[in-house]
Amino acid sequence: VTTVAIVTFRMDPVYQATVQILIEKDNPNVVNFKDVLAIDSGDREYYQTQFEILKSPSIALENIEKLKLERYPEFIPKEPGALDRLKTSVITWIKELPSTLYLDRLFPTKTESDESYTNTEINDQLNSQIKSDSSKSGLLGIYLGNLEVTPVRSSRLVNVSYESLNPKLATVVVNSHARLYREQNTERRLFAAKEAINWLDDKIVETKDKLQQSEKLLQEYRQKNNLISTDYDEKQNIIRQTLIELTTTLNKARMVRMEKESLYSEIVRLSKQPEGLESMPIIVTSSLIQQLKANYVQLQANYSDLGQKYGSEHPKMMSLKSQIDEIRSRIASEVQKIAKSIETEYEVAKNQEQALLGAMTGQKKEALELNETEIQYNVYKRDVETNRSLYDTLLKRVKETNLTENLK
C-alpha cells in the first residue's frame, strides 16, 4: 500500500477533455436543390467513415501546426531507453555490414553518374527533410496516442476525447480538433463545388456551341425545303382529305370512261355496217334521227305513190328522189356526228381519268415527301431541343453550384 501510495502521489495527473459531435443525418435544407457533394448518410459505412476521418492524421497534423503543439513539453519526444538504443545499434550495424566486409566493392550500389547527386548540399537537404519528417511523425504519434474517438451507441453522436497533463491544453486541442473536422467537411464540399463549376463552365461552352450549330442546321433545312409552316398534322390532314376526294372522283371518272369506252368499241365494230350502226340505242333514241327517219319514210311513201302515175324521169319524181337522198345523207351525217361525239366523250373521259390518276400520284408523292421532310425536320428539332434542354440544365446547375459554393 505504501509503495502504491508513493507511486500514485509521484504520478503526474492526466486530464481528459471530451467534445461531443452530432453527425447530421441529412444535408442542411437551406436551398431546394441538391448539393454537388451529396451525403448519403443512411448507411453504417458513412458513420464509420466519419469516425475514421476524426482519427485521421490529416486533422491531427493540421491541429498540431495550428496550435503549435511542439512548444509543449509533453510533445517533446523522450530519449530512447536502453532497449531502443540497442535496437538502433543493431539496425545500424546491419546497414554497415556490406562496407565492413568489403562487399560494396563486389556489388557497387551506385555509378559514376550518381556522383553529381552526392554533394554536401543535397545530403544536408535530405537529412533536414528526414529530421523534419521524423519530428512530425513523433508529434503525430503522441497526438494520436492521446486521442480517442468513441461513438455513442444507437445515436448519431460521437465523443472525441483528448488526454493531456494540462487541462486547458486538453480542452483547446479537442475543441480545435472538432472544429477542424467540421471545416474539412465544408472544405470538401467547397472543393467539389469549385471543381464542378469548372467542369460545368467547360460543358456550358461546349453545349452552347452544339446548340448554335444544331439551330443553324434546323434553320438551313427549313429554308431549303420552304418550311414556312411546320404544322405537319394540318398538312397531313389536308393531303389525306384531298386523297379521299380524288379517290371518289377517280372512281366516278373510271365508270364514265368504261361506259364511253364500251359505246366507242361498239361504234368501231359497227362502223362497217351503216344499218347496224343506225340500230344502236343511242342513235335510235336521238330525236333528230327519229324525225329524219320519219320524213324519210314519208318521202318514200310519196315517191312510191307518184311512181304509179309518173315515171322516174318525171320532175316530181326527181324532186322526191332528191329529197329522199338529202334526208338519207342527213341521217348518215347525224349518225357520224353522234359516233364522233361518242369518240370525243370517250377521249375526254380517258384523259380525265389519267389526269385524276396523275393528281393522285402527285398527292401520294407529296405525302411521302412530307413524311420524309417531317422525319428529318424532327431529327433536327429534337437535336435542338435536346441541346437547349441540356444547356438550360447546365446553366441552372452552375448557378445553383455557385450558390452552394458561397453557402458556407
Side-chain angles (χ1 to χ4, degrees):
V1 173
T2 302
T3 304
V4 171
I6 294 173
V7 172
T8 300
F9 281 112
R10 289 178 59 86
M11 290 176 62
D12 294 328
V14 178
Y15 300 91
Q16 185 183 69
T18 300
V19 62
Q20 193 169 75
I21 299 175
L22 170 65
I23 300 178
E24 293 288 358
K25 183 177 181 181
D26 299 319
N27 295 322
N29 191 15
V30 179
V31 289
N32 60 350
F33 46 79
K34 293 183 178 180
D35 197 354
V36 173
L37 185 61
I39 297 178
D40 183 11
S41 57
D43 54 2
R44 183 178 302 175
E45 287 79 5
Y46 169 74
Y47 289 102
Q48 189 61 40
T49 301
Q50 299 306 307
F51 302 152
E52 294 301 322
I53 291 175
L54 281 167
K55 296 185 290 185
S56 65
S58 62
I59 296 180
L61 287 173
E62 187 174 355
N63 206 19
I64 290 172
E65 294 180 0
K66 178 182 177 182
L67 300 178
K68 301 187 183 304
L69 296 180
E70 68 275 4
R71 300 176 301 170
Y72 295 90
E74 59 187 87
F75 281 92
I76 299 175
K78 298 179 180 179
E79 292 294 330
L83 183 60
D84 294 332
R85 288 196 298 271
L86 177 60
K87 182 170 65 174
T88 303
S89 300
V90 171
I91 293 174
T92 304
W93 179 78
I94 292 174
K95 290 181 179 180
E96 294 178 353
L97 185 61
S99 176
T100 305
L101 299 178
Y102 301 100
L103 295 177
D104 55 343
R105 297 182 181 180
L106 297 176
F107 305 100
T109 57
K110 61 181 180 179
T111 61
E112 293 181 359
S113 60
D114 296 328
E115 291 297 331
S116 58
Y117 298 98
T118 60
N119 55 67
T120 304
E121 183 179 354
I122 294 180
N123 285 335
D124 291 342
Q125 292 179 355
L126 291 175
N127 291 332
S128 175
Q129 182 67 32
I130 291 172
K131 289 179 181 179
S132 175
D133 293 342
S134 176
S135 176
K136 288 183 180 179
S137 177
L139 291 173
L140 181 61
I142 296 172
Y143 187 100
L144 294 178
N146 294 329
L147 184 70
E148 182 181 0
V149 177
T150 308
V152 178
R153 187 181 297 275
S154 301
S155 71
R156 300 193 302 274
L157 299 173
V158 57
N159 291 329
V160 180
S161 303
Y162 189 82
E163 294 181 351
S164 174
L165 300 177
N166 187 334
K168 292 183 179 180
L169 180 62
T171 302
V172 170
V173 169
V174 77
N175 283 335
S176 178
H177 190 93
R179 291 192 187 94
L180 287 175
Y181 162 74
R182 184 180 61 185
E183 290 174 2
Q184 278 197 5
N185 280 342
T186 304
E187 287 298 327
R188 279 198 301 273
R189 295 195 187 187
L190 291 176
F191 178 77
K194 291 177 181 178
E195 289 294 317
I197 289 173
N198 293 334
W199 182 84
L200 287 170
D201 287 339
D202 295 338
K203 282 297 177 182
I204 283 177
V205 174
E206 178 182 345
T207 307
K208 185 178 180 180
D209 293 339
K210 289 183 178 179
L211 175 59
Q212 292 175 346
Q213 183 65 23
S214 60
E215 288 177 339
K216 181 180 178 182
L217 291 175
L218 179 62
Q219 185 61 26
E220 290 177 353
Y221 185 78
R222 291 182 65 176
Q223 293 176 353
K224 180 181 178 181
N225 294 275
N226 296 321
L227 297 177
I228 300 174
S229 173
T230 56
D231 190 354
Y232 286 98
D233 291 336
E234 182 180 354
K235 291 183 178 180
Q236 291 286 6
N237 290 333
I238 294 174
I239 292 176
R240 191 180 298 110
Q241 186 64 31
T242 304
L243 284 174
I244 293 174
E245 294 175 358
L246 283 174
T247 301
T248 304
T249 307
L250 178 62
N251 290 332
K252 293 179 180 180
R254 185 176 284 116
M255 295 297 295
V256 172
R257 190 264 306 163
M258 292 173 65
E259 180 182 352
K260 300 299 181 183
E261 185 178 16
S262 177
L263 285 174
Y264 177 70
S265 299
E266 189 68 14
I267 288 174
V268 171
R269 186 179 67 82
L270 297 175
S271 61
K272 297 179 182 180
Q273 303 174 3
E275 296 81 4
L277 188 63
E278 292 179 6
S279 65
M280 290 184 64
I282 190 171
I283 295 177
V284 172
T285 57
S286 172
S287 58
L288 181 58
I289 295 293
Q290 289 177 354
Q291 183 179 357
L292 290 173
K293 282 189 175 183
N295 293 336
Y296 178 76
V297 170
Q298 183 64 40
L299 288 174
Q300 282 281 14
N302 292 337
Y303 185 80
S304 177
D305 291 341
L306 288 177
Q308 296 176 2
K309 296 181 181 182
Y310 307 106
S312 60
E313 299 297 330
H314 191 273
K316 291 185 177 180
M317 292 292 290
M318 293 180 66
S319 176
L320 286 174
K321 177 66 174 171
S322 176
Q323 293 178 15
I324 290 172
D325 291 340
E326 183 181 355
I327 292 294
R328 185 63 194 172
S329 176
R330 286 187 64 186
I331 290 174
S333 176
E334 289 298 326
V335 169
Q336 291 299 321
K337 286 181 180 179
I338 293 174
K340 187 65 177 177
S341 67
I342 291 174
E343 181 183 1
T344 303
E345 290 176 357
Y346 165 66
E347 292 294 334
V348 171
K350 184 172 68 173
N351 292 335
Q352 186 176 5
E353 181 186 11
Q354 292 298 324
L356 289 171
L357 280 173
M360 180 171 285
T361 303
Q363 283 296 109
K364 290 181 179 179
K365 182 180 179 181
E366 184 179 352
L368 292 175
E369 291 176 351
L370 184 63
N371 288 334
E372 294 178 358
T373 304
E374 181 182 9
I375 291 172
Q376 189 60 39
Y377 175 80
N378 288 333
V379 170
Y380 286 125
K381 184 179 179 181
R382 280 194 297 270
D383 194 21
V384 170
E385 291 174 349
T386 301
N387 289 331
R388 181 176 291 114
S389 176
L390 181 58
Y391 177 74
D392 292 341
T393 301
L394 290 173
L395 197 61
K396 177 182 177 183
R397 190 56 176 149
V398 77
K399 291 180 179 178
E400 293 174 352
T401 308
N402 272 317
L403 184 58
T404 58
E405 181 187 13
N406 297 327
L407 184 66
K408 186 174 181 180

Coordinates of all heavy atoms in Angstrom, one line a residue, residues 104 107-118:
D104 N 30.8 -4.1 -50.8 CA 30.3 -3.0 -51.7 C 31.2 -2.8 -52.9 O 30.8 -2.2 -53.9 CB 30.2 -1.7 -50.9 CG 31.6 -1.3 -50.3 OD1 32.4 -2.3 -50.1 OD2 31.7 -0.2 -49.9
F107 N 29.8 -5.6 -55.3 CA 28.4 -5.3 -55.7 C 28.2 -3.8 -55.5 O 27.6 -3.3 -54.5 CB 27.4 -6.1 -54.9 CG 27.6 -7.5 -54.9 CD1 28.2 -8.2 -53.9 CD2 27.2 -8.3 -56.1 CE1 28.4 -9.6 -53.9 CE2 27.4 -9.6 -56.1 CZ 28.0 -10.3 -55.1
P108 N 28.7 -2.9 -56.4 CA 28.6 -1.5 -56.2 C 27.1 -1.1 -56.3 O 26.3 -1.7 -57.1 CB 29.4 -0.9 -57.3 CG 29.4 -2.0 -58.3 CD 29.5 -3.3 -57.6
T109 N 26.7 -0.2 -55.5 CA 25.3 0.3 -55.5 C 25.1 1.6 -56.2 O 24.0 2.1 -56.2 CB 24.9 0.4 -54.0 OG1 25.7 1.4 -53.3 CG2 24.9 -0.9 -53.3
K110 N 26.2 2.2 -56.7 CA 26.0 3.4 -57.4 C 27.0 3.5 -58.6 O 28.1 2.8 -58.5 CB 26.1 4.6 -56.5 CG 27.5 4.8 -55.8 CD 27.5 6.0 -54.9 CE 28.9 6.1 -54.3 NZ 28.9 7.2 -53.4
T111 N 26.8 4.4 -59.5 CA 27.7 4.6 -60.7 C 28.3 5.9 -60.6 O 28.0 6.7 -59.7 CB 26.9 4.4 -62.0 OG1 25.9 5.4 -62.0 CG2 26.3 3.0 -62.1
E112 N 29.2 6.2 -61.5 CA 29.9 7.5 -61.5 C 28.9 8.6 -61.8 O 29.1 9.7 -61.4 CB 31.0 7.5 -62.6 CG 32.2 6.5 -62.2 CD 33.2 6.6 -63.3 OE1 33.0 7.3 -64.2 OE2 34.3 5.9 -63.1
S113 N 27.9 8.2 -62.6 CA 26.9 9.3 -62.9 C 26.1 9.7 -61.7 O 25.5 10.8 -61.8 CB 25.9 8.8 -64.0 OG 25.2 7.6 -63.5
D114 N 26.1 8.9 -60.7 CA 25.4 9.3 -59.5 C 26.2 10.2 -58.6 O 25.6 10.7 -57.6 CB 25.0 8.0 -58.7 CG 24.0 7.1 -59.4 OD1 23.3 7.7 -60.2 OD2 24.1 5.9 -59.3
E115 N 27.4 10.4 -58.9 CA 28.3 11.2 -58.0 C 27.7 12.7 -57.9 O 27.9 13.3 -56.9 CB 29.7 11.3 -58.5 CG 30.4 9.9 -58.4 CD 30.6 9.5 -57.0 OE1 30.7 10.4 -56.1 OE2 30.6 8.3 -56.7
S116 N 27.1 13.1 -59.0 CA 26.6 14.5 -59.0 C 25.5 14.7 -58.0 O 25.1 15.8 -57.7 CB 26.1 14.9 -60.4 OG 25.1 14.0 -60.8
Y117 N 24.9 13.6 -57.5 CA 23.8 13.7 -56.6 C 24.3 13.5 -55.1 O 23.4 13.4 -54.2 CB 22.7 12.7 -56.9 CG 22.1 13.0 -58.3 CD1 22.5 12.2 -59.4 CD2 21.1 13.9 -58.4 CE1 22.0 12.5 -60.6 CE2 20.6 14.2 -59.7 CZ 21.0 13.4 -60.8 OH 20.5 13.6 -62.0
T118 N 25.5 13.4 -54.9 CA 26.0 13.1 -53.5 C 26.8 14.2 -52.9 O 27.6 14.0 -52.1 CB 26.9 11.8 -53.6 OG1 28.1 12.1 -54.4 CG2 26.2 10.6 -54.1

